[in-house]
Structures are given as structure tokens and as C-alpha cells.
Amino acid sequence: QVQLVESGGGSVQAGGSLRLSCAVSGYTYSSYCMAWFRQAPGKEREGVAFIANDGGTGYPASVKGRFIISQDNAKNTLYLQMNNLKFEDTAMYYCAADSRLGGRCGGGFDYWGQGTQVTVST
């Protein structure tokens, strides 16, 4: 059974940093596209970082230069390093996996974790 378990969320002041982790089990981790999404109250869910199995990454403008996605295939763990956090980064953060294109992104995310809360105070 596929499982994604996030950790590392918490409260931080603006300008601070956090690193989120996502432990992956139940499938061949390296054959999936992985991503981090977030959803704030009253807002739509948005993707904030993507990584394909060839190591290619992508970020929206809102986090580019501040967030870094990475993975440790030996540990089956996905990470999101978040630097220079802003109040508007406050949200529930989710790890997700796209199994449909053999490691390339774009097939749709079919596995999700339960989320970890990130709260940034001014």
C-alpha cells in the first residue's frame, strides 16, 4: 500500500526557515514524479515544488529562489527546504506522487499524504 507521511511543519517567524520531509513507502520511489503542494484556508491548492525522476525541478514564481525540493532515493524521502519564509506561505503542506508517466511530471498526482501545517508569523 502506498503511503506518504509528511513531517517537519511548525511555527516560524517571517524570514526563518523550515525543512519538510516526506517518507515514502509501498512503491518504487524513483519511478514517480514527486511534488509539494499547499493549501491555505479559503484558497485553492497550489503546487509549490516538483521533481521528476531525472532530477529536473520546477517552482512557481511565488516560491522560486526560496524553496528547494530534493530527494534521497536511498532513504525514500522527499524534502522541501523553505527559506526566507513569508506570512503568505502559511498553509497546510502536502507531499504528492504522480505514478502515471514513469517518473515524468504531468500525469496527475494520484497519491497524497495527510499534510503538515506551516505557520509563519510576522
Side-chain angles (χ1 to χ4, degrees):
Q1 184 175 352
V2 175
Q3 283 193 321
L4 306 175
V5 180
E6 302 95 337
S7 61
S11 297
V12 64
Q13 288 191 328
S17 298
L18 281 175
R19 189 176 81 156
L20 306 183
S21 299
C22 174
V24 176
S25 62
Y27 62 85
T28 304
Y29 173 74
S30 61
S31 64
Y32 286 58
C33 166
M34 302 296 297
W36 289 95
F37 287 77
R38 69 185 180 189
Q39 188 166 22
K43 295 187 177 181
E44 292 189 355
R45 185 174 59 197
E46 64 168 332
V48 296
F50 303 84
I51 185 165
N53 69 339
D54 64 356
T57 58
Y59 308 88
S62 58
V63 306
K64 196 169 188 178
R66 301 189 297 119
F67 288 12
I68 301 170
I69 189 171
S70 63
Q71 56 191 4
D72 185 332
N73 289 341
K75 295 182 179 180
N76 282 1
T77 301
L78 181 73
Y79 301 100
L80 182 67
Q81 178 67 44
M82 304 185 295
N83 300 319
N84 190 21
L85 282 161
K86 302 178 180 181
F87 175 76
E88 52 264 38
D89 295 320
T90 296
M92 186 70 79
Y93 283 72
Y94 300 90
C95 168
D98 174 353
S99 69
R100 302 175 192 182
L101 295 179
R104 292 181 290 118
C105 299
F109 289 88
D110 42 355
Y111 298 106
W112 295 83
Q114 293 299 307
T116 186
Q117 177 69 37
V118 172
T119 302
V120 184
S121 58
T122 57

